[in-house]
Amino acid sequence: MFLLQQILPCGPGRQAEAIKRLHWIHTQMAAHPGCVAAIAAKALGNPYDYLVLRMFRDYAQYQDFMASPGGQFGRSKPPGIYGSNDIPHNWESMLCTDGAAAGGFILRAHYRLKPGSLDGFVKNRQQQDTLASWLGGLVRSITLKGLDADDTALCILRLKDRAAMEELM
C-alpha cells in the first residue's frame, strides 16, 4: 500500500473552509478504484494543523488518480487556505495489523533508523502490534518505510480512544 502523508497548516480563520475542501478532495479519491482510504485529522500540538493521510493500493494507482480529472484538485486551491509542512510525504507499507476494536484516535510515530535495521524494526513492530491487540484498543496498525529517505519509518495506529493510547504507552 502507498501512503501520502501531509501536515497542512491552515490559514487564519480558514479551518472550516479547509475541512470542506479536504472532504471534497477525499470524495474524489474515494471514487477511484485504487483508493484505500483518505483521512483528515487535527494534528495535536497545533489547533490549526491537519494531518492528511491518503492511501492507495500502490504508487501506480496514486499516479493514475492524480492523472485523472479528480486528481486535478490542486488547480482550484484557493490562495492561502493551507500550506504544506516540509515532512517526508511518500511511504510504502511493510506491516498491517487489524485489531478488534472500533474507534478513531490516531497515533502517528515517525522514526529515523540506523542503516540495515529495517527488518529488526518491523519484527519489533509486530510484537508491539500483538501487545496492542491483546490490550483490546487496536483498530488497525500500519508500519511503513520511507520512499523519500531509506532511513525512515512511520507507524500509524488507529486506536479505540485516547485511553487506549495511554494504556499502550
Side-chain angles (χ1 to χ4, degrees):
M1 176 173 52
F2 170 77
L3 175 123
L4 176 75
Q5 171 194 229
Q6 296 174 295
I7 295 184
L8 304 178
C10 286
R14 312 262 323 250
Q15 291 85 357
E17 180 185 4
I19 288 296
K20 184 177 178 180
R21 179 172 171 76
L22 290 170
H23 178 74
W24 172 75
I25 291 168
H26 291 173
T27 300
Q28 302 295 309
M29 289 180 175
H32 189 277
C35 181
V36 174
I39 298 167
K42 284 189 177 182
L44 294 179
N46 184 335
Y48 306 109
D49 288 355
Y50 288 92
L51 171 66
V52 176
L53 304 171
R54 296 172 177 159
M55 295 167 248
F56 284 79
R57 280 189 274 155
D58 55 37
Y59 186 66
Q61 291 289 315
Y62 170 73
Q63 288 179 313
D64 184 64
F65 167 74
M66 292 304 290
S68 75
Q72 304 306 305
F73 56 84
R75 294 180 181 176
S76 65
K77 179 182 166 189
I81 190 170
Y82 46 70
S84 182
N85 285 357
D86 185 23
I87 61 169
H89 292 287
N90 302 300
W91 303 88
E92 182 181 354
S93 64
M94 301 283 299
L95 173 66
C96 186
T97 305
D98 289 321
F105 187 86
I106 296 173
L107 174 64
R108 179 181 67 100
H110 183 216
Y111 300 90
R112 183 142 339 259
L113 305 176
K114 292 180 181 178
S117 66
L118 182 61
D119 289 342
F121 177 79
V122 171
K123 286 179 185 177
N124 186 43
R125 287 290 314 132
Q126 286 174 317
Q127 293 173 348
Q128 291 174 354
D129 287 354
T130 299
L131 174 62
S133 293
W134 181 78
L135 290 172
L138 181 67
V139 177
R140 173 173 257 197
S141 171
I142 305 171
T143 300
L144 307 108
K145 68 177 180 178
L147 297 177
D148 300 326
D150 291 337
D151 63 343
T152 58
L154 178 69
C155 297
I156 307 286
L157 281 79
R158 178 165 263 190
L159 301 167
K160 179 180 174 183
D161 52 23
R162 185 179 186 93
M165 186 266 307
E166 290 173 357
E167 185 175 13
L168 186 59
M169 296 295 137

